Amino acid sequence: MIISFLNQKGGVGKTTISTNVAYALSQRGFKVLLVDSDPQHSASDWVSVRGDKELPFTVVGISNASLRQQIPRMQEQDGYDFVLIDGAPRMTDLSRAAIIVSDLIVMPMRPSGFDIWATEELKTLVEEARIFKPELMTAVCLNAVVNNTKLAKEVMADMEDNDWSFFETTITQRVAFSNASTQGLAVMELDSNSVATKEIENLTDEIVALKG
């Protein structure tokens, strides 16, 4: 299964979510490839910060549209169960290539009007791609949600009214994510019993279920 984590807006958590989900999948015995397609190389920087700590999945950088040809070839040759693409922050030819090659588009989004408007362009591109790939799946993942606020519920209700699909799991705003990322770690490496870890595990459950 090839999964792209995409959104036009930067700072929505694409790298945080993709690296943590990649780690969670690898801990379940899946062979995982994480493709860093962001010209800012955020996922690659995360690996560099990690240093000599063993990484249970493979990370490669492909920041050009050739990923459309390279990723299916790498998946077939090396037998990856999951290929995760950490996407660029703008809707470029690179993003379009990622959409076309993917089975699932995960759209990380903060619960704000600005993020909804930014995600609309991605939604349009996905709908265009479905002309050629009708089986393409998409879902919004609400990220950095502040607990005990009405905003996330209002955003989800608005998405439902406008025919959006979204994961049941929401990722809340927790210092554990920033603490882990600054050390090149997944949240479950810091504390396997934390709420942040549970949220990533729940999101991973949903993604595995979509693989079928």
Side-chain angles (χ1 to χ4, degrees):
M1 187 178 201
I2 301 175
I3 306 167
S4 284
F5 294 77
L6 296 172
N7 196 312
Q8 177 186 358
K9 195 172 183 296
V12 296
K14 294 185 296 292
T15 302
T16 296
I17 295 174
S18 61
T19 52
N20 277 280
V21 169
Y23 192 94
L25 287 169
S26 69
Q27 295 307 291
R28 299 179 186 207
F30 294 111
K31 188 173 183 179
V32 179
L33 172 66
L34 176 63
V35 178
D36 184 359
S37 73
D38 186 346
Q40 297 177 359
H41 309 299
S42 298
S44 298
D45 290 344
W46 177 81
V47 175
S48 297
V49 172
R50 188 177 180 87
D52 59 359
K53 300 182 186 72
E54 183 180 357
L55 188 65
F57 57 92
T58 302
V59 179
V60 299
I62 307 177
S63 55
N64 58 67
S66 69
L67 65 81
R68 184 174 176 181
Q69 291 76 39
Q70 291 189 57
I71 288 177
R73 183 167 62 247
M74 294 172 69
Q75 184 182 32
E76 182 176 356
Q77 289 176 349
D78 297 315
Y80 290 107
D81 300 301
F82 287 92
V83 178
L84 278 58
I85 303 171
D86 181 22
R90 290 173 296 279
M91 293 299 102
T92 61
D93 289 341
L94 184 59
S95 298
R96 290 181 173 86
I99 291 170
I100 289 297
V101 80
S102 295
D103 303 301
L104 169 66
I105 307 297
V106 177
M107 297 180 282
M109 188 182 80
R110 291 174 180 264
S112 75
F114 294 111
D115 284 60
I116 293 175
W117 301 330
T119 308
E120 283 286 356
E121 182 177 353
L122 173 58
K123 185 182 177 186
T124 299
L125 290 177
V126 168
E127 289 171 350
E128 292 173 356
R130 281 203 176 106
I131 297 173
F132 308 99
K133 196 171 185 178
E135 71 278 12
L136 179 62
M137 297 179 287
T138 65
V140 169
C141 176
L142 285 183
N143 183 45
V145 175
V146 178
N147 272 332
N148 302 318
T149 63
K150 296 180 180 179
L151 183 57
K153 293 180 180 179
E154 291 172 354
V155 168
M156 292 173 75
D158 185 62
M159 287 191 296
E160 284 184 314
D161 291 342
N162 290 279
D163 197 31
W164 291 77
S165 297
F166 53 89
F167 290 101
E168 290 185 13
T169 302
T170 59
I171 308 298
T172 52
Q173 184 170 297
R174 296 186 182 279
V175 70
F177 288 107
S178 58
N179 286 346
S181 63
T182 56
Q183 299 176 61
L185 300 175
V187 289
M188 57 197 65
E189 292 180 276
L190 283 184
D191 183 352
S192 61
N193 296 313
S194 69
V195 176
T197 294
K198 183 60 176 177
E199 290 173 350
I200 292 296
E201 293 285 10
N202 289 344
L203 178 61
T204 304
D205 286 342
E206 291 192 65
I207 289 173
V208 171
L210 289 174
K211 186 177 188 295

